[in-house]
Amino acid sequence: MKHLIKYSLHDYIRSHKYFPPIAVFFILIFVFYTYTPNPIIDSYAATAFILYMISAWLCISILSLDPPVQGQIMMLHIGSWSRYYISKLISVGIISIVLTIYAFVYPIIFNMFTETVTLTIGLVSLVNHIFLAILGISVASLFSKIIMKSVVNSFGGLALTIVVSIAALGIYDVLPSFIKNIVWIIPPAAITQVPLTNWNGESILNLSMFPFIWVIFYALVILYLFLKLAKRC
């Protein structure tokens, strides 16, 4: 698995397809922190949102990297489609973690915040970034060319799903009460925003854990569904 992940990362870097999403991420973070000083928790909540979208973009580009014949040859070599797809997903996860570190460290290095980042706020912010990155990867996996053969359906469906997931809280507010629960099927990208922006950052006990648990549970279920569907395609 280790060699397969190294191969996937090397192949992705050599393809240069990494450049658009990563360049956009760096630019967005730079633009976001153009004005200083910034509130810590709100800023990290916003950059986690950006990472959610960029991770989805990275995932769909890595999963579309190998031609079908190359994918079949690799599968025959390693003996399992699951290992092949998991190595791809882990590769995206590694890139997302690197971007998480950049989003976390950049404002600290350049003194963009009004206060010092405490250990508690730092840990919660890192977890929120990583969980939203995993969510973005899971959502994008269902719209990859492995599952959807049409490029229009793949990119169009992913873009629409991401927009709807970001607007989920607003959708919930305008829906009639008897169908409000339908938002639970929407990727919960926005569900951690409210508790984070209302959190004072003093103690983790004052922060509702359910939104974070729901995000990672939802993402793992979607990834499991992707692996099941991918083996049939």
Side-chain angles (χ1 to χ4, degrees):
M1 182 63 78
K2 177 183 175 183
H3 297 294
L4 196 55
I5 293 169
K6 285 177 67 177
Y7 174 82
S8 295
L9 288 170
H10 183 265
D11 200 31
Y12 188 54
I13 292 171
R14 194 171 51 187
S15 73
H16 300 296
K17 288 186 176 180
Y18 68 90
F19 184 77
I22 291 179
V24 169
F25 182 76
F26 276 62
I27 291 170
L28 288 176
I29 295 296
F30 176 78
V31 171
F32 182 81
Y33 287 111
T34 301
Y35 298 100
T36 56
N38 298 278
I40 300 172
I41 299 173
D42 291 6
S43 299
Y44 277 147
T47 56
F49 238 159
I50 296 172
L51 184 64
Y52 163 67
M53 294 182 284
I54 297 298
S55 295
W57 188 354
L58 288 166
C59 181
I60 207 166
S61 64
I62 282 189
L63 289 179
S64 64
L65 190 61
D66 295 337
V69 175
Q70 183 178 339
Q72 290 174 357
I73 292 173
M74 291 178 67
M75 189 282 294
L76 289 173
H77 184 68
I78 60 177
S80 166
W81 276 115
S82 294
R83 293 186 69 193
Y84 171 75
Y85 292 128
I86 289 171
S87 71
K88 296 288 183 183
L89 296 172
I90 292 176
S91 300
V92 189
I94 291 172
I95 299 172
S96 297
I97 288 174
V98 173
L99 297 183
T100 294
I101 295 170
Y102 170 75
F104 182 75
V105 171
Y106 174 81
I108 297 175
I109 292 177
F110 292 98
N111 197 28
M112 300 292 188
F113 292 137
T114 53
E115 304 171 80
T116 302
V117 178
T118 64
L119 180 62
T120 303
I121 292 176
L123 285 174
V124 170
S125 299
L126 283 172
V127 167
N128 189 45
H129 277 80
I130 293 170
F131 279 15
L132 286 190
I134 295 172
L135 181 65
I137 293 167
S138 69
V139 172
S141 68
L142 288 184
F143 290 95
S144 65
K145 76 170 188 178
I146 297 164
I147 306 297
M148 292 191 173
K149 305 306 178 188
S150 166
V151 175
V152 174
N153 291 341
S154 175
F155 284 92
L158 177 61
L160 179 62
T161 302
I162 286 177
V163 170
V164 170
S165 66
I166 292 173
L169 296 179
I171 293 172
Y172 180 84
D173 290 337
V174 300
L175 285 176
S177 58
F178 66 95
I179 58 170
K180 280 185 182 295
N181 287 334
I182 198 172
V183 298
W184 287 103
I185 66 173
I186 299 174
I191 197 172
T192 61
Q193 300 299 305
V194 173
L196 278 174
T197 53
N198 293 330
W199 183 42
N200 59 17
E202 293 179 359
S203 170
I204 200 168
L205 297 177
N206 298 327
L207 181 66
S208 173
M209 289 292 108
F210 174 75
F212 298 90
I213 295 171
W214 178 243
V215 167
I216 197 63
F217 174 78
Y218 187 100
L220 293 177
V221 169
I222 295 297
L223 287 173
Y224 176 78
L225 179 62
F226 163 71
L227 292 174
K228 288 293 183 185
L229 293 174
K231 286 194 290 187
R232 297 179 181 179
C233 296

